[in-house]
Amino acid sequence: MYNVLGGILLFASVCGIGLLIAFFVQSQTKHSRHWNYRTQDKYLQFKEDKYALNKLGYAQQLRRYLNGFGSFGVSFTTMSVISGAALYFGPMYGFGGPWTFGIGWPLVSLFALLVAAAAAELASAMPTSGGVYHWSRAAGGKAWAWAAAALRGAGDIGLLLIINGIAAVLIDSLLAAWLGYRSSSLSMLAVGVLVLGTQLLVSSRGVYWLHWLTSCGVWLQIGLIVAIIGGLAWTIGPYLQPVEYLFALGPEGSGKTGLVQIVLALVLIQRLFMGGDAAAYTTEETYNPKVHAPWSIYLTAAYGFVFGYILFAYIVMAAGGLPGFHLENTSFLALTVSLWGAWNPVMNTLLFIGIILSLWSSGLGIVNTSSRMWFAYHRDGRSQLSRWMAAVSVKHQTPKRIMAVFGIVAMLAMAAASGIIPWHSQNMAVLPPFWTAWCIICLNGSAAIPIGLRLMRAKEEYRQLLLNRVWSLGAFSLPVHWLAFLWLSATTVAAAVFLSAAAAGGIAALLALAALFQAVRKIWNGQQYVGMQLSPTPEEMIRVEKSYRQF
């Protein structure tokens, strides 16, 4: 009884804190000097957004097309509750049992909201496509910026390997059943390359395609959640476990688990919230980005918490009493597809395809996020290579060369990973810990750098930029940033110590090699970087911008 009361109070408290932050920020926004937070003429809004970008020293090369919902769609589909569930439901349940979702999920969600709020403030202060790279560069200089970009890029590659790898396994299994061939590492790799190729193709076509597909991805996520819960209610609703089961610790509510397993369950939940800051990397393609981008980041974490809690709680209570419900077959897919679709093979297949599409759209968001960050990085470079890499297609107004290079690197990484870990033979409930730890360490580290710099050694010019933020936590800003920084640091250490020390060592070695390469290249080329141009030359802006469609 006390467990149930405590769990309900925890859920209500997280909801209350989330709403309190939202209401407080909204009141701050209304009293800010930002005159265009209300709906206004589209042309005037574009001019205001372009002016804010020009003040930071950058021309408007990318096309602004995303509205508030489009910006939210980019973050929500990239984070993807369904994709996270398909990847990690089994391991999370195996570590902590029902408690993972009844207590662990709202507990981690509270910190995820604080991290999202901190990132939202930074995105509002700097409406550029660089994300953690630009935030770190403005606050601490080019060395910190390079470290944040390197960690984020490595994390994106790892995340793409996991998501596209699982998608390739699912697609390959469907094709093998339909066409009658035997699945292998080679067939999985071929499907994985095809999946990545379609993501690159769609992303290279411009922000209009991205807006349409990510908006559809939002409704796909909601539709799948409603369908899964409705299907389970239809098939085994009368046999639900009592509410007390949701707050029981250990597999099958046995109470038998350890502290390390509980920590690992919480770390995996933190992994499910990664990608929610994707809207920060499309700010140069978003109308009114000082408002829409930060709200998209924050609301993605908030809605992810609510939808995830409802989905996981119902699945655990619906399937917890079934015979044979244990770690080896607690795969989200095994539960939802076999149980929900047992009464109708057609619906079974449709649900399976819907989960594949969710994984694909999450991978699409990662491709777009990483390409925009590396575009911003090379746009600041003066070397011939950087100028060539940062070129933007006049027709589609996307950095196609960056995407091509990113695609090649991702495909090579996929081929190497396929040779090391044969995905086609992996149990779907047991995800390789190396790649999970890799993603957590890289992405948490890249997010912690600008937050830590903002707390400890931000430059004076960056402090001035922060005064121009519209999405503001006011007096709560520093406490929220401290809690976010400490949480990111703690989960990073936990992933390195308990999940995979090899991943931490590999990341350290990769950063050391990349730093050595950067030093040698700088000496060889005499490369310099452009500083933050708060007073750009108007002639230079006009020369660049007149080559692109502006409105």
Side-chain angles (χ1 to χ4, degrees):
M1 179 64 185
Y2 292 107
N3 289 342
V4 176
L5 181 61
I8 293 175
L9 288 176
L10 177 60
F11 175 80
S13 298
V14 176
C15 291
I17 292 172
L19 289 173
L20 182 63
I21 292 174
F23 284 130
F24 180 79
V25 170
Q26 183 66 13
S27 66
Q28 293 282 103
T29 302
K30 289 182 178 180
H31 292 93
S32 72
R33 293 177 296 175
H34 186 66
W35 62 273
N36 60 352
Y37 72 90
R38 299 183 181 89
T39 303
Q40 61 168 304
D41 181 81
K42 194 173 183 181
Y43 174 74
L44 293 177
Q45 183 65 69
F46 170 80
K47 297 293 288 184
E48 174 71 11
D49 298 338
K50 189 177 85 69
Y51 175 69
L53 182 62
N54 292 162
K55 281 185 66 178
L56 293 172
Y58 301 109
Q60 180 69 57
Q61 294 175 273
L62 306 178
R63 186 177 301 172
R64 293 192 186 272
Y65 192 88
L66 297 175
N67 55 21
F69 185 76
S71 178
F72 169 76
V74 171
S75 281
F76 193 73
T77 56
T78 302
M79 188 186 80
S80 185
V81 173
I82 294 294
S83 297
L87 291 165
Y88 293 103
F89 178 85
M92 288 191 299
Y93 180 85
F95 286 131
W99 180 93
T100 302
F101 308 103
I103 301 295
W105 182 266
L107 183 63
V108 175
S109 297
L110 174 60
F111 288 101
L113 283 172
L114 298 179
V115 172
E121 270 204 332
L122 299 179
S124 183
M126 292 197 64
T128 67
S129 293
V132 293
Y133 160 69
H134 269 153
W135 304 342
S136 302
R137 176 167 160 254
K142 60 186 180 184
W144 284 108
W146 173 86
L151 283 172
R152 179 71 194 216
D156 285 339
I157 291 291
L159 204 56
L160 198 62
L161 286 180
I162 294 175
I163 291 174
N164 281 3
I166 294 295
V169 169
L170 300 180
I171 296 172
D172 190 40
S173 64
L174 279 180
L175 294 178
W178 292 344
L179 302 178
Y181 68 86
R182 183 178 180 180
S183 295
S184 65
S185 292
L186 185 60
S187 64
M188 188 283 298
L189 179 60
V191 174
V193 170
L194 179 62
V195 169
L196 178 58
T198 57
Q199 291 164 342
L200 290 167
L201 177 63
V202 169
S203 188
S204 68
R205 302 300 292 179
V207 71
Y208 172 78
W209 283 51
L210 182 70
H211 175 271
W212 185 79
L213 287 171
T214 53
S215 297
C216 291
V218 172
W219 296 113
L220 173 66
Q221 294 275 321
I222 296 173
L224 285 172
I225 291 171
V226 172
I228 290 169
I229 293 175
L232 290 175
W234 178 278
T235 53
I236 56 177
Y239 308 100
L240 287 176
Q241 288 280 69
V243 177
E244 290 84 353
Y245 181 78
L246 183 61
F247 308 103
L249 190 63
E252 303 178 47
S254 62
K256 299 177 180 179
T257 190
L259 179 61
V260 173
Q261 286 74 22
I262 292 174
V263 171
L264 286 173
L266 298 179
V267 169
L268 291 184
I269 295 174
Q270 167 66 14
R271 156 61 191 89
L272 264 64
F273 282 94
M274 291 178 177
D277 63 342
Y281 297 85
T282 57
T283 53
E284 294 181 31
E285 298 161 281
T286 304
Y287 285 102
N288 201 2
K290 286 189 174 184
V291 173
H292 288 155
W295 273 116
S296 297
I297 295 169
Y298 182 75
L299 291 178
T300 293
Y303 284 121
F305 156 59
V306 174
F307 285 132
Y309 186 87
I310 295 171
L311 176 67
F312 290 134
Y314 199 90
I315 290 176
V316 168
M317 293 173 63
L322 296 177
F325 183 74
H326 49 83
L327 179 60
E328 283 72 26
N329 62 357
T330 52
S331 164
F332 176 79
L333 290 171
L335 287 170
T336 55
V337 175
S338 62
L339 294 177
W340 185 90
W343 61 281
N344 191 318
V346 175
M347 297 304 295
N348 189 329
T349 303
L350 288 177
L351 181 61
F352 201 78
I353 293 174
I355 293 173
I356 292 174
L357 290 175
S358 179
L359 288 164
W360 182 89
S361 62
S362 182
L364 173 66
I366 295 167
V367 169
N368 185 76
T369 296
S370 200
S371 65
R372 278 7 179 221
M373 184 194 70
W374 288 118
F375 158 72
Y377 174 84
H378 285 287
R379 181 175 57 182
D380 288 344
R382 285 180 176 174
S383 69
Q384 291 297 322
L385 176 61
S386 287
R387 290 185 180 276
W388 182 85
M389 291 279 284
V392 174
S393 166
V394 174
K395 181 179 180 180
H396 297 113
Q397 292 185 234
T398 54
K400 289 188 174 182
R401 291 174 182 172
I402 290 285
M403 290 180 184
V405 173
F406 176 80
I408 292 171
V409 172
M411 288 178 186
L412 292 174
M414 188 179 296
S418 178
I420 297 171
I421 302 175
W423 284 87
H424 72 285
S425 64
Q426 290 288 320
N427 187 317
M428 292 296 292
V430 184
L431 197 69
F434 177 89
W435 294 113
T436 303
W438 178 282
C439 294
I440 292 172
I441 295 169
C442 286
L443 296 176
N444 273 10
S446 67
I449 287 175
I451 294 176
L453 290 171
R454 178 223 189 289
L455 292 170
M456 301 173 193
R457 51 162 292 177
K459 294 181 178 180
E460 181 58 34
E461 59 189 48
Y462 183 60
R463 297 183 187 276
Q464 294 300 318
L465 286 173
L466 287 175
L467 295 177
N468 295 323
R469 67 189 187 274
V470 179
W471 205 96
S472 175
L473 293 166
F476 299 103
S477 179
L478 288 180
V480 167
H481 276 72
W482 271 113
L483 289 171
F485 179 74
L486 293 174
W487 172 254
L488 291 171
S489 301
T491 49
T492 300
V493 172
V497 173
F498 300 118
L499 198 55
S500 176
I507 293 167
L510 182 65
L511 286 175
L513 288 174
L516 179 62
F517 173 77
Q518 281 287 92
V520 171
R521 190 176 68 136
K522 185 175 180 179
I523 294 172
W524 182 267
N525 295 327
Q527 181 178 351
Q528 299 294 326
Y529 290 91
V530 178
M532 188 67 71
Q533 301 176 19
L534 297 179
S535 300
T537 306
E539 292 77 11
E540 191 174 353
M541 293 294 169
I542 294 172
R543 179 178 59 79
V544 174
E545 290 182 347
K546 70 180 182 181
S547 301
Y548 299 96
R549 175 182 173 185
Q550 294 294 307
F551 190 77

